[in-house]
Amino acid sequence: LRENFTIINSPTAPNGAAVLCTGPVTLDANPANQPGLTYLWSTEETTETIVVNEQALITLTVTDANGCVDDGQFLVAENRPL
């Protein structure tokens, strides 16, 4: 008995840091523009990008069409002049 199968890689959720300096920052869950992904941010938003205007640790779950998931996080740090 012989059967072919395909190994599917899970999506890659980004990780990183962003600095608030002159205004809000936009975080992108899919900078490589992979098709067929869904997103769930710790802010409860489900869009590919979110805008953050305060210091926070933002987590993210990315799910592909096969149900494979990957988790990522962004550290948004305050660095605005006083």
Side-chain angles (χ1 to χ4, degrees):
L1 179 66
R2 184 180 221 183
E3 188 173 327
N4 292 328
F5 60 92
T6 303
I7 298 173
I8 300 171
N9 293 328
S10 63
T12 302
N15 291 284
V19 177
L20 296 167
C21 188
T22 59
V25 294
T26 300
L27 305 180
D28 189 346
N30 188 6
N33 292 318
Q34 296 175 323
L37 301 180
T38 60
Y39 318 98
L40 179 59
W41 298 88
S42 57
T43 60
E44 299 185 14
E45 293 171 88
T46 58
T47 55
E48 181 178 332
T49 61
I50 64 170
V51 176
V52 179
N53 194 26
E54 60 186 33
Q55 184 168 298
L57 179 62
I58 306 289
T59 59
L60 163 69
T61 299
V62 178
T63 306
D64 70 11
N66 298 305
C68 297
V69 299
D70 192 23
D71 295 318
Q73 64 183 14
F74 289 91
L75 174 62
V76 180
E78 182 75 54
N79 194 29
R80 292 182 244 216
L82 297 175

